[in-house]
């Protein structure tokens, strides 16, 4: 069959596409920016098209000739995510009906009991499901609770809370029952339901083998990670709002995403029926201990396919880079550094592509950490998102509080800032070969201020740039010396960086 996958840059969609192709289907991946999918491993085997769920005109050509359309998008983290998801589902449903799509598949969340007031997150998921089920196109809705898998937002919350807090005072919801499901089982269901009877139009609850409390799940994680048993003290007065800020302070998940996720945990998330077993066998369904073991193994072996952070934020290349000759939008502040490196360009590139995350930023770690803390305080993403892979990057990935906007392997890495600043900021790192076998490292930071606050911001950070950016250039050059392959002549000494730093207009 020909399948359209929306949300192909997201956590589930990015994993579903290659598995659908492995099952023999043709896949068309939809993204607002095709550049976001340029470097993913499966890009050459899928048809990548651009489209925007908020623009119905772009959906009609994307759905042309499609048999099964997967709706895997959500606007979680946006202030008005309920409205955005409602409009996206409505546009998608109408376009799918017009193009005579045979089936829609939607991955939603559990439905709370009718006598409870659902959280905004679950309310929105239920509303989207209703819109799609009433579209006139046969629709299968899979209602999944907490998804356990390397890189998922739910798993990152579980992981960091358990690892960082051996003793924790927790909200009451840690006693609520949940039925977590492994991401591999979610993907298996998503693939299998594409071939259900054509007239089937309904939702199914899906969950893993085990029903337990969130507190018990944290203890399960502690066992899997080789940690001591955690001491958990539920505290009644902790509201969902306070809980979200608590989660945001401890984990990489920012408050804008933590709030709706935590609010949904006040409801029990278990299956109320298991009719899916009539169509898809339960063979191999994982329990919580095995799900955690598999997820930790993927993290340990650097085999995390997708991460929650890559699905958030704006599409890569959404903002134009202010090029020197063509930019006419006003003031551009710059900080430029250039350093000769007594190492081949390949060694220099390995250092450049490896920046951030556990590898750090090669200068004044405390200053970078403080900047990340300050960003979290004002509602930003901070430095905790890290990176998906320790050594390799692709366009569209989140990298601490940056996003990879462009990567030219062996030559250029361009990052766009996603921290909260009064303006737009980029950081570029270049590796240039020299005739004698050594290389040149060039580094350029650009900032386009927004209003008076933007100019004041640049003035306030300028004194620190001389320390941070010059140290970064110097230490990246030194790091390249250590990355030289054996027999290359050994480390040399980089020259002092030439630093035409400051501002320009």
């Amino acid at each position: 069959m020909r399948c359209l996958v929306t949300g192909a840059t997201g956590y589930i969609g990015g994993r579903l596409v290659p598995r659908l192709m492995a099952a023999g289907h043709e896949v068309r991946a939809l993204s607002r920016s095709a550049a976001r999918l340029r470097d993913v491993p499966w890009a050459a085997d899928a048809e990548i098209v651009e489209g925007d769920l908020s623009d119905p005109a772009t959906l009609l050509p994307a759905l042309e000739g499609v048999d099964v359309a997967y709706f895997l998008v959500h606007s979680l983290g946006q202030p008005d995510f309920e409205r955005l998801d409602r409009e996206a589902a409505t546009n998608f449903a109408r376009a799918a009906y017009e193009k005579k799509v045979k089936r829609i598949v939607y991955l939603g969340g559990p439905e709370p009991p009718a006598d409870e007031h659902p959280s905004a997150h679950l309310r929105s998921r239920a509303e989207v499901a209703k819109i799609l089920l009433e579209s006139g196109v046969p629709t299968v809705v899979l209602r999944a609770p907490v998804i356990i898998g390397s890189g998922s937002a739910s798993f990152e919350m579980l992981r960091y809370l358990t690892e960082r807090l051996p003793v924790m005072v927790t909200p009451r919801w840690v006693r609520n029952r949940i039925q977590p499901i492994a991401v591999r089982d979610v993907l298996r269901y998503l693939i299998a339901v594409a071939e259900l009877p054509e007239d089937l139009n309904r939702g199914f609850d899906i969950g893993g083998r085990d029903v337990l409390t969130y507190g018990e799940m944290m203890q399960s994680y502690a066992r899997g990670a080789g940690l001591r048993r955690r001491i958990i003290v539920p505290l009644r007065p902790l509201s969902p709002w306070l809980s979200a800020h608590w989660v945001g302070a401890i984990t990489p998940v920012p408050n804008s995403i933590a709030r709706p996720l935590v609010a949904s945990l006040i409801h029990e998330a278990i299956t109320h029926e298991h009719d899916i077993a009539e169509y898809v066998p339960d063979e191999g369904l994982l329990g919580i201990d095995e799900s955690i073991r598999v997820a930790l193994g993927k993290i340990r072996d650097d085999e995390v396919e997708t991460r929650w952070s890559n699905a958030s934020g704006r599409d890569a290349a959404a903002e134009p880079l202010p090029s020197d000759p063509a930019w006419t939008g006003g003031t551009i502040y710059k900080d430029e550094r250039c350093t000769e490196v007594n190492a081949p360009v390949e060694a220099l590139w390995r250092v450049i592509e490896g920046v951030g995350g556990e590898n750090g930023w090669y200068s004044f770690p405390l200053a970078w950490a403080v900047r990340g803390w300050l960003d979290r305080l004002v509602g930003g993403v901070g430095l905790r998102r890290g990176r998906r892979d320790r050594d390799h990057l692709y366009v569209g990935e989140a990298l601490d509080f940056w996003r990879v906007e462009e990567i030219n392997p062996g030559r250029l890495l361009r990052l766009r800032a996603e921290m909260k600043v009064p303006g737009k900021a980029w950081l570029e790192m270049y590796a240039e070969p020299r005739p004698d076998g050594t290389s040149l490292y060039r580094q350029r930071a650009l900032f386009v201020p927004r209003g008076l606050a933007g100019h004041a911001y640049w003035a306030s950070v300028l004194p620190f740039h001389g320390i941070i950016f010059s140290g970064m250039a110097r230490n990246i050059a030194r790091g390249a010396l250590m990355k030289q392959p054996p027999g290359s002549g050994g480390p040399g000494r980089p020259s002092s960086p030439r630093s035409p730093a400051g501002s320009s207009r």
Side-chain angles (χ1 to χ4, degrees):
M1 294 181 291
R2 177 173 292 167
C3 303
L4 174 76
V5 177
T6 65
T9 59
Y11 178 72
I12 294 293
R15 298 186 181 212
L16 179 63
V17 169
R19 286 164 175 80
L20 283 172
M21 291 190 291
H25 302 301
E26 296 178 24
V27 178
R28 181 179 293 165
L30 180 74
S31 174
R32 282 180 295 173
S33 170
R36 284 286 303 269
L37 298 171
R38 189 192 70 188
D39 298 329
V40 296
W42 44 263
D45 301 315
E47 180 187 0
I48 297 174
V49 298
E50 289 192 348
D52 191 334
L53 291 172
S54 65
D55 183 358
T58 66
L59 299 179
L60 293 173
L63 287 162
E64 186 70 48
V66 166
D67 299 304
V68 180
Y70 287 88
F71 189 86
L72 302 175
V73 298
H74 60 76
S75 305
L76 204 64
Q78 302 296 324
D80 52 349
F81 71 88
E82 288 187 83
R83 178 186 63 80
L84 293 173
D85 284 350
R86 182 187 311 117
E87 292 178 356
T90 301
N91 292 337
F92 188 77
R94 289 172 178 167
Y97 181 79
E98 183 172 338
K99 287 300 179 180
K100 297 181 172 57
V101 171
K102 296 176 182 177
R103 174 165 304 289
I104 294 173
V105 179
Y106 171 56
L107 179 62
E111 289 188 347
D115 58 345
E116 294 186 14
H117 296 289
S119 69
H121 176 218
L122 295 184
R123 184 172 63 234
S124 176
R125 292 298 181 97
E127 182 182 24
V128 168
K130 184 174 185 293
I131 291 170
L132 297 177
L133 287 167
E134 295 177 352
S135 65
V137 178
T139 296
V140 169
V141 174
L142 297 178
R143 296 185 288 259
V146 174
I147 296 177
I148 300 296
S150 57
S152 77
S154 297
F155 185 71
E156 292 288 278
M157 283 173 52
L158 172 69
R159 176 187 173 196
Y160 280 84
L161 286 172
T162 309
E163 289 186 355
R164 293 182 174 182
L165 299 174
V167 179
M168 55 189 112
V169 177
T170 61
R172 287 176 297 168
W173 50 254
V174 299
R175 292 178 173 172
N176 288 350
R177 293 184 303 163
I178 55 176
Q179 192 170 350
I181 183 171
V183 65
R184 63 172 55 186
D185 288 325
V186 172
L187 293 167
R188 182 170 61 89
Y189 282 129
L190 285 169
I191 295 169
V193 298
E195 300 184 29
L196 294 186
E198 289 188 4
D199 60 346
L200 196 65
N201 188 70
R202 60 161 293 183
F204 295 95
D205 289 348
I206 59 173
R209 283 207 317 261
D210 300 324
V211 176
L212 67 169
T213 68
Y214 199 93
E216 289 170 339
M217 189 165 67
M218 287 193 282
Q219 300 294 9
S220 181
Y221 179 91
R223 289 194 302 272
L227 304 172
R228 293 182 179 179
R229 181 174 177 82
R230 278 18 207 166
I231 299 174
I232 301 172
V233 182
L235 187 65
R236 186 179 182 85
L238 278 181
S239 67
W241 182 84
L242 285 173
S243 300
H245 283 277
W246 170 63
V247 169
I250 300 298
T251 78
V253 182
N255 288 348
S256 59
I257 294 177
R259 274 195 299 272
L261 289 181
V262 167
S264 64
L265 290 173
I266 65 175
H267 309 288
E268 289 199 332
I270 59 175
T271 60
H272 298 287
E273 48 81 13
H274 193 51
D275 297 350
I276 190 69
E278 299 176 18
Y279 303 94
V280 184
D282 283 345
E283 300 172 3
L285 201 62
L286 299 186
I288 185 61
D289 289 337
E290 191 173 4
S291 300
I292 289 173
R293 180 184 60 78
V294 171
L296 288 174
K298 294 289 186 181
I299 294 170
R300 182 186 60 248
D301 298 336
D302 263 346
E303 295 179 354
V304 180
E305 294 178 60
T306 57
R307 293 188 73 227
W308 66 272
S309 54
N310 291 347
S312 62
R314 305 175 66 176
D315 281 337
E319 300 290 347
L321 178 75
S323 58
D324 289 339
W327 178 259
T328 57
T331 300
I332 310 171
Y333 291 118
K334 303 177 188 177
D335 184 290
E336 299 179 279
R337 312 276 165 174
C338 184
T339 305
E340 296 174 357
V341 184
N342 193 15
V345 71
E346 294 82 7
L348 175 58
W349 178 251
R350 283 197 292 273
V351 177
I352 292 173
E353 193 177 8
V355 298
E358 295 179 359
N359 300 326
W361 291 90
Y362 289 89
S363 71
F364 207 166
L366 179 60
W368 285 93
V370 169
R371 185 64 186 87
W373 297 335
L374 292 173
D375 192 49
R376 296 284 289 198
L377 284 174
V378 295
V381 295
L383 282 174
R384 294 190 191 138
R385 293 191 304 186
R387 49 184 296 152
R388 178 192 58 86
D389 185 282
R390 192 177 302 144
D391 300 310
H392 303 292
L393 296 170
Y394 57 75
V395 167
E397 281 197 288
L399 176 59
D400 290 331
F401 48 42
W402 306 90
R403 192 167 294 271
V404 180
E405 184 169 88
E406 181 57 77
I407 185 167
N408 184 343
R411 183 174 183 273
L412 164 68
L413 174 63
R414 179 185 300 141
L415 307 174
R416 188 181 74 247
E418 290 193 335
M419 73 281 280
K420 297 277 189 178
V421 291
K424 303 170 187 174
W426 291 263
L427 177 63
E428 293 181 324
M429 290 171 272
Y430 294 85
E432 299 178 358
R434 305 183 75 185
D436 62 357
T438 62
S439 54
L440 188 70
Y441 172 67
R442 289 198 299 113
Q443 177 180 293
R444 187 167 75 143
L446 298 171
F447 181 69
V448 179
R450 183 177 64 247
L452 183 59
H455 294 279
Y457 170 80
W458 180 263
S460 68
V461 299
L462 187 59
F464 300 101
H465 284 180
I467 301 172
I468 295 172
F469 285 137
S470 64
M472 184 176 177
R474 183 170 57 250
N475 292 327
I476 283 178
R478 287 175 178 167
L481 299 181
M482 308 304 296
K483 294 286 187 180
Q484 292 187 89
S488 63
R493 294 180 60 85
S495 67
S496 299
R498 299 193 300 271
S499 307
S503 63
S504 64
R505 293 181 182 273

